[in-house]
Amino acid sequence: MAASSVCLVSGAAGAWAQPAAPTAPSGAHPTRADAVQNAKQAAARSLREAYATGQVKDVMAGTLTSANEVSLDRLPVRSAASGFRASVESSNSAILTAKGLPASTGNVLQVRLANPQARAALAEGVQPLIAAEPSDRQATSLTAYRPDGTEVKLGATAPADVPVLIVGIDGDRIVAAGTKVMSDGFKAAWPQAGTSSSGDLSTLKPKTAAAARAASRTAPIPRPTDHQGPAARTSGTAAGSDAAGKAGAPEGKNVTRINNVQLHKSNEEPFWKGGAEAFAVVSGWDKNDKAFAEPALQLPYLDWTDVDYHPNQNLIDWGHFGYDSADLVFLEEDDGTNYKDLTKAIVDALLTVTGYGTTGIPLANTIMDAIPDKWWTDDTDELDQVYSVSQGAIAKAQNSGAPGLTYFGASGGSNISIGLSNAFIPKT
C-alpha cells in the first residue's frame, strides 16, 4: 500500500481546528453514532489542549512508550488539568447514554498509539498528531491535529516517524457491558431457571414433518470438500458423554464449544481502525416450541482477519433446546449500537415466532431483520450468520475420529469459519 499522504492546513496557534459536528438534515434527529462521535471529538479536543499546555505531555510519552493504549481517566495528569478530567467524564457519560449502558460500566474512553512504529519518536519528544477515531470505519482518510491546532490529513497508511494518538472507545469493555445488558434482557424474557442442562436429547418429542423440512432447508451448505449432511436430531448426547443422560450419572451440561474460529474479511483497513470487537447471539427453539435466545457471548479474542483462534469457549448449552438445531449471529460493536434497544428488538422479534418450522425462516434471519439499518455505520458490523448447528452432526464427526465439525458463514464469500466440538461439563 502506498505511503500515507500528510497534508497541512493552516490553523491559528493554540486553536482547535476541529470541524463542527455534522448537522442532521432538516427534520431529522442526530443518530446515536453522531452522539458517540461528538463525545470522542470533545475528549480529543480536551486531550489536545491539555497536551499543548504541558499538563499531559510528559506522562503521555511515558505511558504510551510502554503500552499501546491507556484509559483517559487513568492518565496521571497534573492537578491543574481538572478541566480535562471533567471533560472526559462528561464525554464518557454521553457515550454510555447513547449506547444504552449503565453508569457502572465505568470509563470507556481511551487513547492509543495507532502507529507503534513511531513509539521511539514519541519517547524522544516528537509532537504527536491527535485525532478522534471516526465512527465511519470505512473512511479512507483521517483529520488529525497537532497540539498547536494545525490540521493534518492522513491517508490509510500510518506515518512512520510521527506518533498518531487516537481517542476512541474501549470496545472490549463496551461489548462486555453490552452483552451483559443483552443477557439480562434475554434471561428476563426466557427464564431458564430450573431447566435441566443434563437431559438426554433423545427424550425430547420428535420433530414434525414440517420441522424436518425446515431443518433441511436451513442446514449449512457444505463446501465441496465437506460431506456433512443437513442438521438432524441426535439420538444421544454429546460425544464422550453418553452416560450424561442415564440414571445415576452426574449432573452437568451438554455443550458445544468453539475449537477454532477465523474471520475472512479483507484485511486492507486504515491504520487507525483497531481489531473487531465481536459478540455472538445463539438462538433456537425451546422445549415448548418457542423461539428464544441464549445469553449473548463476548468474543474478545476475535480481532483480526486470517488469524486462526483456538478459544475453547463454550457456545451452546443444549439443555435449553427442544430441537437439535441452533442458529448463530456474529456481530461487531459499532458506535451506533444501543444495547438496550438491540435487546428489545431481538426479544420482540423472537417472541412473535412459535412452532418450529412453521415459517422455514432461520432465526438468525429473524434477528438480523429486527435490527434497523440505521443502527449500523460500518458495513462490517454484521460479521456473518451460521445456520442449523447440530449437536448430533458434531457428535457423529467426533465419533468418527474428527475433532469436531466446521461450519461456514452463510454470507457471500463466507466471512467466518468456525470449528465446533461437543463436551459434557459435570456439575461439581
Side-chain angles (χ1 to χ4, degrees), residues 40 50 83 97 131 139 141 155 206 209 220 222 310 315 329 337 362 365 390 392 399:
K40 289 190 292 187
T97 298
S141 64
H310 296 263
L315 180 67
V329 174
T337 306
N365 290 16
S390 165
N399 289 336

Side-chain angles (χ1 to χ4, degrees), residues 201 238-239 253-259 282 297 312-319 324 326 328 389-392 394-395 398 405 407 418-425:
L201 288 178
K253 295 178 181 291
N254 285 312
V255 302
T256 288
R257 289 175 172 165
I258 303 175
N259 283 347
V282 179
L297 292 172
N312 198 34
Q313 182 180 16
N314 295 331
L315 180 67
I316 305 171
D317 181 350
W318 290 103
D324 185 22
L328 314 177
V389 173
S390 165
Q391 186 192 26
I394 296 170
Q398 288 181 261
L405 194 62
Y407 287 82
I418 184 166
L420 302 175
S421 65
N422 294 335
F424 177 73
I425 305 175

Side-chain angles (χ1 to χ4, degrees), residues 65-89:
T65 53
S66 59
N68 285 340
E69 58 196 27
V70 61
S71 295
L72 284 185
D73 67 335
R74 294 188 176 181
L75 279 177
V77 297
R78 298 177 183 176
S79 58
S82 58
F84 169 71
R85 292 194 184 281
S87 174
V88 169
E89 291 176 4

